[in-house]
Amino acid sequence: MYKDIETIIFDFGGTLDTNGIPWSQKYLITLKINGFVFDDKLYHRIYKASEEFLQNNSNNNFRSYKELMKEQLSFIISSIHLTGYENRHNYERIINEVFADIWMDTVYCIKNSKEILETFKNKYKLGLVSNYYGNIKRICKDMDLDKYFDVILDPNTACIHKPHPGIFSIALKMLNSLPENTFVIGDSYEDDIVPAKIIGCRTILLNRNIILNESKYDSSDYTVKNINKIQSILQKK
């Protein structure tokens, strides 16, 4: 067991809520499973625009996590030309059908994450560091996740966005923890792993899309494709 580990810092989006599938891929995969065909490059441009839309519109008025996700999906689907689904009525039906699949899986992933957090909360100090859309504290409260974390930090609080390593330094200071006694867990190599390693944390990359022997990700201490593998890692040594 890692006896010197006192603190675990998690990412949220793509980590606790999807078990290692970045949201850009989550929407794309679900749309394709539902039989829709469109240009991938167009999709990724639209996804980026949807993130900017939520970033600019999520702070002023509270929406539940479910409402926020559906709003993003609505933006994406309404921006993609799907032949045969041009009228508003059909788009609303598509949105409802696709969202039902996404929400069911998200609820399952969060339930599983809560079970893991429950086993950790009395053993470690727990932090959450997420860019999300500047409203992560409200989202965590909405999903009953806030009770597990000693610190919840986003750019609204820290005035720094990932991948700047300073946001992790601020979290560690708030947790009264040292980097060498901390694991950072996230789905993004660039946003989570690299900045955490810069300040001296140990890291676990959780991403179902990454080939485990891919050398470009070798800065991460561990790479896993399922969040349930984290417990066995922490029991090593």
Side-chain angles (χ1 to χ4, degrees):
M1 182 178 291
Y2 278 101
K3 294 181 180 179
D4 58 336
I5 294 298
E6 301 174 350
T7 304
I8 305 174
I9 296 176
F10 288 89
D11 170 56
F12 177 68
T15 301
L16 294 178
D17 58 353
T18 69
N19 191 11
I21 300 180
W23 270 104
S24 61
Q25 294 297 314
K26 183 74 173 178
Y27 289 126
L28 179 63
I29 291 166
T30 309
L31 284 167
K32 289 188 173 182
I33 287 173
N34 278 270
F36 302 112
V37 180
F38 43 82
D39 181 75
D40 283 8
K41 290 183 179 179
L42 170 63
Y43 165 79
H44 286 294
R45 289 198 300 269
I46 290 171
Y47 178 79
K48 185 176 180 180
S50 77
E51 287 198 306
E52 292 171 355
F53 172 78
L54 290 184
Q55 189 73 49
N56 293 331
N57 291 277
S58 63
N59 295 331
N60 295 329
N61 298 303
F62 174 72
R63 299 171 191 64
S64 69
Y65 181 49
K66 188 174 185 178
E67 290 168 337
L68 196 66
M69 287 172 55
K70 190 170 185 180
E71 187 172 1
Q72 184 171 25
L73 181 65
S74 299
F75 184 101
I76 292 168
I77 289 178
S78 298
S79 302
I80 295 174
H81 179 72
L82 301 174
T83 303
Y85 296 92
E86 287 83 359
N87 68 68
R88 180 180 176 85
H89 174 73
N90 282 334
Y91 269 124
E92 288 177 353
R93 179 171 63 81
I94 295 170
I95 290 164
N96 288 332
E97 290 176 356
V98 175
F99 182 74
D101 290 345
I102 289 175
W103 182 247
M104 180 174 64
D105 189 59
T106 302
V107 169
Y108 173 80
C109 288
I110 289 180
K111 180 177 180 293
N112 184 60
S113 292
K114 285 180 178 178
E115 292 173 0
I116 293 170
L117 293 170
E118 189 70 36
T119 66
F120 286 169
K121 72 175 186 178
N122 293 323
K123 298 178 182 178
Y124 307 101
K125 291 181 280 186
L126 298 180
L128 185 69
V129 174
S130 175
N131 284 347
Y132 209 60
Y133 300 111
N135 57 351
I136 190 62
K137 289 184 179 180
R138 290 179 292 181
I139 294 300
C140 285
K141 185 174 182 180
D142 179 44
M143 298 305 295
D144 196 32
L145 282 165
D146 57 326
K147 64 185 179 183
Y148 296 108
F149 296 103
D150 302 292
V151 167
I152 297 175
L153 193 61
D154 68 7
N156 270 357
T157 305
C159 299
I160 305 173
H161 286 76
K162 293 191 290 186
H164 195 296
I167 195 167
F168 289 102
S169 295
I170 292 170
L172 290 175
K173 185 175 181 179
M174 294 172 70
L175 288 160
N176 193 27
S177 300
L178 296 172
E180 57 266 31
N181 302 130
T182 301
F183 260 109
V184 170
I185 300 167
D187 72 297
S188 172
Y189 184 78
E190 293 79 13
D191 286 354
D192 299 312
I193 304 307
V194 172
K197 292 298 291 184
I198 286 172
I199 65 170
C201 296
R202 292 168 179 159
T203 58
I204 300 174
L205 177 63
L206 168 66
N207 195 308
R208 281 191 255 177
N209 297 329
I210 287 176
I211 300 171
L212 293 183
N213 63 357
E214 186 72 51
S215 61
K216 68 181 287 188
Y217 304 112
D218 61 6
S219 289
S220 183
D221 294 283
Y222 298 95
T223 301
V224 297
K225 292 193 173 186
N226 192 307
I227 198 169
N228 294 309
K229 299 291 185 181
I230 292 168
Q231 291 168 301
S232 61
I233 289 173
L234 292 170
Q235 290 170 356
K236 291 182 178 182
K237 296 188 179 180

